[in-house]
Amino acid sequence: MTSANGKTTQTAIVCHGGLDLRVEEREIPVPQDGEVQIQVGVSGLCGSDAHYYNHGANGIFKIREPLVLGHEAGGVITALGPNQPAGSTLKVGDRVAMEVGVMCGECKWCKTGRYNLCPKMRFRSSAKTFPHLDGTMREYMTNDARLCYKLPDTVSMDVAALAEPLSVVLHAWRKANLKPGCRVLILGAGAVGLLACALARASGATTVVAVDIEQAKLDFAERMGWTTGTYALPKGPRVSGLEALEVAKQGWEGLKASTAVTRVEGLQDGFDAVFECTGVESCMQLAPMAAAPGTKVLFVGMGTANLVLPTGVSLLREVDLIGVFRYCNTYPEAIALLGSGSLGDVGQMVSQRYPLERAHEAFEDMKRGRDKDGRPVIKPMVGNLEVK
């Protein structure tokens, strides 16, 4: 079997290690039992992709063999493998978003609906498991048909790629168990943080304050109507441990004194929930300080393997510290939200588009935070820009 246009090889973006990204020719995979073959549209660049590009590792997970990057994507089905799942209605030509974590389906976590914790999970573009499972930054891929979701006509390929980060946000939001009228703080205004702001507003939060070190991202969140206030933390060198804790204390004092907080009665006592979306140690330390007594902190960002947390601030005030690892059972809701328009025009988050051959440029722009024309990088997309 070949692709829909008769090709047998394809272009793929392969990471061999830190700052060693290559454009390679790979065979087009043939769908096996229960799989479909997909012509990939675009892949959104994620923070984990950037870590692999820059360091050849994401936290403790190091690349041990060449790895195709990318895990946020949509595409078009080009072939069906044998023995499709019972009840599946997928067909060639369907536009789909792909969930790319393949679980075992047999362990207690899978059987109780928490498959994101499956110890045998193989996640595309992650070096956590070996052999690695190649990601989406290529022309064609195969995927488990059960993890492919049809797109409504209102969802473009760009927006389909946002279903993955939105799923992370949905998983965190469910854990927070918030009610309309809540007041939330979002630390980090990258793609996940911005989507958290949008979801919070759409879910009835009356106060949504976003914090970042990049004013341009905060300005974007304000223009989109996703925040009621923003605060730009001062930039400085990344520090750790007790030094980071001092930075966190200063950050909380500055935030408390900002108009984003002072104009809302009672907010200086803390927020009903804090979503930490950076993975930066000082921000992770700031989060429990900013949570009101009896509330929750959702640690969404990844990046600091071992850190110092102000547990006294949390324990004495009964602030729950909750880990958020990927997502489970979120894709149908994420796609429905994206198609409904209730989150606003999230497609405006897509700040740059690059063909596969210019993937290196995309990663370099992401590292700088701005492209060659000086535009802020919020969510860059890499892939086949012709696939709609």
Side-chain angles (χ1 to χ4, degrees):
M1 181 184 294
T2 59
S3 73
N5 61 6
K7 291 173 59 177
T8 58
T9 62
Q10 61 169 325
T11 299
I13 305 304
V14 187
C15 187
H16 288 252
L19 300 179
D20 187 2
L21 191 72
R22 307 180 194 179
V23 180
E24 297 182 356
E25 283 294 308
R26 293 281 188 95
E27 287 189 7
I28 293 175
V30 175
Q32 303 302 307
D33 281 359
E35 293 184 334
V36 295
Q37 182 190 75
I38 300 161
Q39 184 180 20
V40 182
V42 291
S43 296
L45 293 196
C46 171
S48 63
D49 296 318
H51 281 297
Y52 286 125
Y53 170 76
N54 289 310
H55 311 294
N58 182 30
I60 62 174
F61 307 134
K62 296 183 178 180
I63 291 178
R64 297 166 60 187
E65 63 184 6
L67 176 65
V68 176
L69 296 180
H71 55 270
E72 306 175 359
V76 178
I77 293 177
T78 50
L80 304 177
N83 301 315
Q84 289 292 296
S88 174
T89 61
L90 294 176
K91 62 184 183 301
V92 172
D94 281 344
R95 300 163 65 252
V96 294
M98 298 86 79
E99 186 174 352
V100 296
V102 184
M103 68 293 291
C104 76
E106 299 297 328
C107 69
K108 65 177 181 180
W109 305 111
C110 288
K111 289 183 176 180
T112 56
R114 301 183 70 185
Y115 60 79
N116 58 310
L117 301 180
C118 172
K120 296 181 180 179
M121 167 79 75
R122 298 184 69 211
F123 197 87
R124 294 192 185 277
S125 78
S126 171
K128 182 180 179 181
T129 55
F130 185 83
H132 308 325
L133 188 62
D134 282 335
T136 62
M137 214 169 289
R138 45 183 162 157
E139 292 181 90
Y140 292 90
M141 62 179 287
T142 55
N143 205 56
D144 190 323
R146 296 171 300 175
L147 300 176
C148 294
Y149 305 88
K150 291 185 182 182
L151 297 175
D153 293 339
T154 53
V155 174
S156 68
M157 281 296 158
D158 286 344
V159 173
L162 297 177
E164 203 276 345
L166 179 56
S167 283
V168 175
V169 173
L170 275 170
H171 187 53
W173 190 261
R174 291 173 181 177
K175 282 177 167 285
N177 193 28
L178 295 169
K179 297 179 180 179
C182 61
R183 306 185 297 187
V184 303
L185 174 67
I186 314 293
L187 296 175
V192 168
L194 289 172
L195 288 169
C197 291
L199 181 62
R201 289 296 278 163
S203 301
T206 54
T207 298
V208 178
V209 176
V211 172
D212 202 277
I213 59 173
E214 296 289 345
Q215 187 63 51
K217 292 181 178 179
L218 297 174
D219 292 343
F220 175 81
E222 287 188 328
R223 288 197 306 272
M224 296 299 295
W226 292 338
T227 61
T228 60
T230 62
Y231 179 70
L233 287 170
K235 293 183 181 181
R238 181 172 288 200
V239 291
S240 60
L242 295 178
E243 190 175 359
L245 189 58
E246 288 304 312
V247 173
K249 291 176 181 177
Q250 295 170 17
W252 174 225
E253 291 302 319
L255 176 58
K256 279 198 296 184
S258 72
T259 56
V261 171
T262 57
R263 67 186 176 193
V264 181
E265 184 177 353
L267 203 55
Q268 285 187 309
D269 295 329
F271 293 79
D272 298 322
V274 179
F275 293 81
E276 203 300 301
C277 301
T278 71
V280 175
E281 187 168 2
S282 56
C283 289
M284 297 176 78
Q285 294 167 339
L286 187 158
M289 301 176 192
T295 62
K296 301 176 181 180
V297 173
L298 293 300
F299 288 107
V300 184
M302 303 276 288
T304 305
N306 299 297
L307 66 153
V308 174
L309 280 179
T311 51
V313 170
S314 308
L315 299 177
L316 296 176
R317 297 162 64 245
E318 293 193 357
V319 173
D320 294 339
L321 307 182
I322 300 174
V324 177
F325 184 62
R326 294 177 182 155
Y327 44 82
C328 56
N329 306 305
T330 53
Y331 254 71
E333 184 178 347
I335 292 170
L337 279 169
L338 292 171
S340 71
S342 60
L343 300 181
D345 187 5
V346 294
Q348 290 194 41
M349 287 174 52
V350 179
S351 49
Q352 289 83 16
R353 297 173 179 82
Y354 308 81
L356 282 171
E357 294 77 10
R358 290 172 52 201
H360 181 270
E361 180 183 342
F363 279 99
E364 286 296 305
D365 287 349
M366 191 175 185
K367 184 194 299 187
R368 286 192 302 271
R370 292 186 177 271
D371 62 21
K372 62 182 180 181
D373 297 318
R375 296 173 301 184
V377 175
I378 297 175
K379 175 57 73 173
M381 296 283 174
V382 175
N384 187 340
L385 306 183
E386 301 302 316
V387 176
K388 302 299 183 181

